[in-house]
Amino acid sequence: MFQRKLTALDYHNPSGFDCKDETEFRNFIVWLEDQKIRHYKIEDRGNLRNIHSSEWPQFFEKYVQDVSCPFTAQERQETVDWLLGLAVRFEYGDNVDKYRDCKPEAASNNTEKPSDPLINLDSNNPDFKAGVTALANLLQIQRHDDYLVMLKAIRILIQERLTPEAIAKSSQAKEGLPVSLDKHVLGFDTGDATLNEAARILRLLHIEELRDLQTRINEAIVAVQAIIADPRTDHRLGKVGR
């Protein structure tokens, strides 16, 4: 699962690396820090290099925090994937000229793009889970057991809030249309013309808030229906009738 990144970093055994093997894992972390990440000064790497120490898990936990990893040491696969990504970025930064002329493999012209790019994703892939979780943490989106659902929520948030058009739209001041208060019946009389006018304004503002609330409710209903209507939903979980 980490083979491509390990190969890019010239790891000695990219295809056979097993992060569940404690000794191999600790040696790998030492190699990654010594050769690629180099977050600590050489003289400060002693605790991390002492892989036979009973306190090594605490040293690793501190290291994870020091490099600002969004995962904990207990989330080993996600942490390893994130550290590898960090190492790849540093590797590229150190060898920009080497990789600048590299060109991606040309995609086949006959390949048709699927209507939904999420269809062909493997939601059980640890790399995919780690990436989605990192994005959800960054965007402060609540976690969900189904990573595809979580990815859809991320996509919706980005499309609605973070695209250049959405940012530009949110920064624009809303200008309302002029309203003639005399055409709106208040329904009661306060005995004061000024208070009556203020009451009409408050009622119109309340109606506007109710319309906005109804719009949000409709959007929520549509979003729920989109998930329920997903053809991949397991129909065995549903029951019709009593």
Side-chain angles (χ1 to χ4, degrees):
M1 56 179 283
F2 309 117
Q3 185 171 351
R4 287 191 302 172
K5 292 179 181 178
L6 290 170
T7 302
L9 295 171
D10 294 325
Y11 186 66
H12 68 279
N13 185 23
S15 60
F17 173 68
D18 182 10
C19 68
K20 296 180 181 179
D21 185 298
E22 191 65 30
T23 301
E24 185 176 6
F25 171 70
R26 295 186 181 187
N27 280 310
F28 163 76
I29 295 298
V30 173
W31 172 83
L32 200 62
E33 167 61 16
D34 280 343
Q35 302 296 325
K36 303 299 178 181
I37 297 179
R38 300 189 290 273
H39 180 77
Y40 289 157
K41 296 180 180 178
I42 294 177
E43 58 270 21
D44 295 334
R45 300 173 190 170
N47 289 335
L48 205 60
R49 289 172 174 172
N50 189 10
I51 63 173
H52 300 294
S53 171
S54 59
E55 298 181 358
W56 193 90
Q58 287 77 21
F59 300 147
F60 177 61
E61 181 71 41
K62 183 179 184 303
Y63 175 72
V64 168
Q65 295 173 359
D66 289 344
V67 296
S68 301
C69 178
F71 304 104
T72 64
Q74 288 70 36
E75 298 173 293
R76 179 168 293 190
Q77 290 185 338
E78 291 85 352
T79 300
V80 168
D81 184 71
W82 188 89
L83 290 174
L84 283 172
L86 180 64
V88 168
R89 290 199 297 272
F90 287 154
E91 179 74 11
Y92 175 80
D94 293 339
N95 301 276
V96 175
D97 295 334
K98 174 183 176 181
Y99 298 110
R100 181 175 295 167
D101 298 330
C102 293
K103 297 180 180 179
E105 296 181 1
S108 174
N109 296 329
N110 297 327
T111 304
E112 295 183 359
K113 294 183 178 179
S115 57
D116 187 353
L118 303 183
I119 292 178
N120 295 327
L121 288 177
D122 181 8
S123 60
N124 295 319
N125 187 298
D127 292 343
F128 170 77
K129 292 182 178 180
V132 171
T133 303
L135 277 175
N137 292 338
L138 181 63
L139 298 174
Q140 297 182 349
I141 294 177
Q142 185 176 359
R143 292 194 179 189
H144 191 280
D145 292 337
D146 190 333
Y147 285 82
L148 283 176
V149 172
M150 194 155 53
L151 183 60
K152 288 182 179 179
I154 292 171
R155 182 175 67 176
I156 292 173
L157 176 63
I158 292 175
Q159 289 175 339
E160 293 185 355
R161 303 286 180 85
L162 301 180
T163 59
E165 294 80 6
I167 295 174
K169 184 178 179 180
S170 64
S171 62
Q172 294 175 354
K174 294 183 178 179
E175 297 182 1
L177 298 175
V179 176
S180 177
L181 296 178
D182 296 336
K183 296 182 179 180
H184 295 273
V185 180
L186 180 59
F188 61 89
D189 186 8
T190 64
D192 187 296
T194 303
L195 289 178
N196 286 343
E197 185 173 341
R200 288 191 182 95
I201 294 174
L202 290 175
R203 170 165 288 186
L204 290 174
L205 291 174
H206 180 59
I207 292 174
E208 179 65 22
E209 290 180 348
L210 289 177
R211 288 176 177 172
D212 182 63
L213 177 61
Q214 184 63 53
T215 299
R216 293 176 180 272
I217 292 174
N218 292 340
E219 291 175 350
I221 292 174
V222 171
V224 171
Q225 289 176 339
I227 296 175
I228 295 176
D230 193 332
R232 290 171 295 175
T233 302
D234 191 347
H235 64 85
R236 294 173 299 176
L237 300 179
K239 292 183 179 180
V240 179
R242 299 179 61 184

